[in-house]
Structure formats: C-alpha cells, structure tokens
Amino acid sequence: AQSVTQLGSHVSVSEGALVLLRCNYSSSVPPYLFWYVQYPNQGLQLLLKYTTGATLVKGINGFEAEFKKSETSFHLTKPSAHMSDAAEYFCAVSDLTGNQFYFGTGTSLTVIP
Amino acid sequence: GAGVSQTPSNKVTEKGKYVELRCDPISGHTALYWYRQSLGQGPEFLIYFQGTGAADDSGLPNDRFFAVRPEGSVSTLKIQRTERGDSAVYLCASSPGRNVYNEQFFGPGTRLTVL
C-alpha cells in the first residue's frame, strides 16, 4: 500500500525567502512522485513529477524537487518565494500501473510581504 | 484549448436524495479519474476509467456510489441516498492515456453539500 505524509499543514515564508515543503512516502516499490498546486477556486495543476532518470526534477514557476530513495522523500523547494506562490500544495504518489494516485493532506503556503 | 469541465460547480441537496455529477474531459483523453476531497484533506481516489470501462473502482466507498462513461468521453458520478458525510468537493481529472507518464488534468470540482 502507498501513503504520503506532508509535514506541516501550514507554512509561512517571507517574500524572497526559501520555500521548503516536505513530503515523505511509503511504498513497497519505488513509486512515481508528483507535486500539484491548487490556487483558490481552481483545479489542481501539476508542478513537477519524478518517474525515472535524474532525481532532481525541475518544474514550473521555479520549483524543483529531489527524489531521495534512502530517505523516502520528495521535498519541494523554491529559492525565492513570490507572493503569487501562495496556494495549497499536494504531494502525490502513484504505483507503477498509474491506476491510482495517493495524495497527501496538503500544505498551505502563505507568503508574507 | 478547453480544459476539464465539471457541472454543476455547486450542488446542495437533502439527505436521502439522489445526485449526479458530470465531468467533461479534455477531448481525446482516454483516461478519466474521479476523486473526492474532504475539507482539510487531499484528494481521495474513487474510480478510474480507461475508455468506457471502469479499470479500477476500488476507491468507491460503498454501493451508493456509481460512475459511468458510456461513450468513453463524458462521465457521470452518481450518488444514491446521499448522507451528510458525502459532503465534499468531487474532482475529475483526465489524461491522454493509461501511462503514468501522462499528466492528469484536473477540473475545478463540484462542491456537494448534503443537508
């Protein structure tokens, strides 16, 4: 069975500061990993994904994440927060079939001017 | 181009009533997913269609929930004898194919409130 844990349901950072959103997964086999962002009153939008290959993945809007198998982690980072980054962020894991996706409970990011 | 659309955007119903939620996927997408997102939670998988058939319905919580996709495009999620615990945002997503490399595109959701 797959599960995803996002540490910190709420994260606040100052504009221009580093953004770090944590995600750990449990899986019996190496999964596929995703980060989605949800802006108010909008659908989820894919930020980035890891399937195979390079473990450091770059996504849209300057975000990146690194797959660390030894730590079962896929933390999301951005060097400098922007006001427009304020949103809900979800980490997700899929098994190799891609039939089911398991989402974390989400982290709400607030950016302080 | 047009994204995934869901109707209605909001639905308020009374306990015990029947509701239908509609999802229009992106044209040409063969895979379609339904999720339920309760307040403060992440989306929870309900059912996955590949074409017209339900490839995986293991996430449906009980037999009051049913979904169809008769022509391999539009899908309807049907909930019988609604209960207050069914209140949530129901999300639909579509994908070009069954491969997990294919991105899922999400609709804005239908907010269901059962009084």
Side-chain angles (χ1 to χ4, degrees):
Chain A
Q2 315 259 5
S3 69
V4 177
T5 301
Q6 291 184 241
L7 291 176
S9 58
H10 297 276
V11 171
S12 293
V13 299
S14 298
E15 190 175 14
L18 171 71
V19 176
L20 171 60
L21 305 182
R22 299 178 185 276
C23 173
N24 289 85
Y25 67 90
S26 66
S27 172
S28 57
V29 297
Y32 298 132
L33 296 155
F34 306 79
W35 275 99
Y36 282 85
V37 61
Q38 187 174 32
Y39 297 103
N41 300 316
Q42 294 187 28
L44 280 82
Q45 179 183 359
L46 181 67
L47 271 179
L48 48 79
K49 64 182 177 183
Y50 169 78
T51 53
T52 60
T55 56
L56 181 62
V57 181
K58 295 186 185 299
I60 62 172
N61 301 338
F63 284 93
E64 62 183 35
E66 186 171 11
F67 169 56
K68 292 187 176 181
K69 184 178 177 181
S70 62
E71 298 178 7
T72 61
S73 69
F74 192 57
H75 301 331
L76 181 71
T77 61
K78 181 174 180 178
S80 177
H82 192 272
M83 296 298 294
S84 61
D85 295 328
E88 188 87 14
Y89 292 80
F90 293 93
C91 181
V93 59
S94 168
D95 61 18
L96 298 182
T97 68
N99 287 358
Q100 293 196 24
F101 280 67
Y102 300 87
F103 284 82
T105 53
T107 297
S108 177
L109 176 66
T110 299
V111 181
I112 303 167
Chain B
V4 177
S5 62
Q6 293 185 245
T7 54
S9 55
N10 280 283
K11 175 71 176 177
V12 180
T13 190
E14 294 180 343
K15 180 175 178 293
K17 299 291 187 182
Y18 168 82
V19 297
E20 290 189 352
L21 312 179
R22 176 187 169 108
C23 172
D24 281 83
I26 293 172
S27 177
H29 281 192
T30 59
L32 186 145
Y33 303 78
W34 282 100
Y35 296 86
R36 177 170 68 176
Q37 186 175 15
S38 300
L39 191 63
Q41 301 295 317
E44 173 191 10
F45 169 81
L46 295 177
I47 186 170
Y48 157 63
F49 286 91
Q50 183 59 232
T52 60
D56 188 336
D57 64 357
S58 61
L60 294 177
N62 51 60
D63 61 6
R64 295 187 297 105
F65 288 74
F66 189 71
V68 296
R69 196 185 184 199
E71 298 179 355
S73 178
V74 171
S75 177
T76 304
L77 178 66
K78 307 180 180 189
I79 310 174
Q80 298 177 322
R81 305 183 302 281
T82 53
E83 299 178 357
R84 292 192 179 88
D86 298 335
S87 296
V89 176
Y90 289 81
L91 300 171
C92 176
S94 72
S95 176
R98 66 189 310 160
N99 193 309
V100 74
Y101 291 85
N102 299 132
E103 177 182 349
Q104 290 189 34
F105 293 83
F106 282 80
T110 293
R111 182 175 298 278
L112 175 66
T113 302
V114 181
L115 301 176

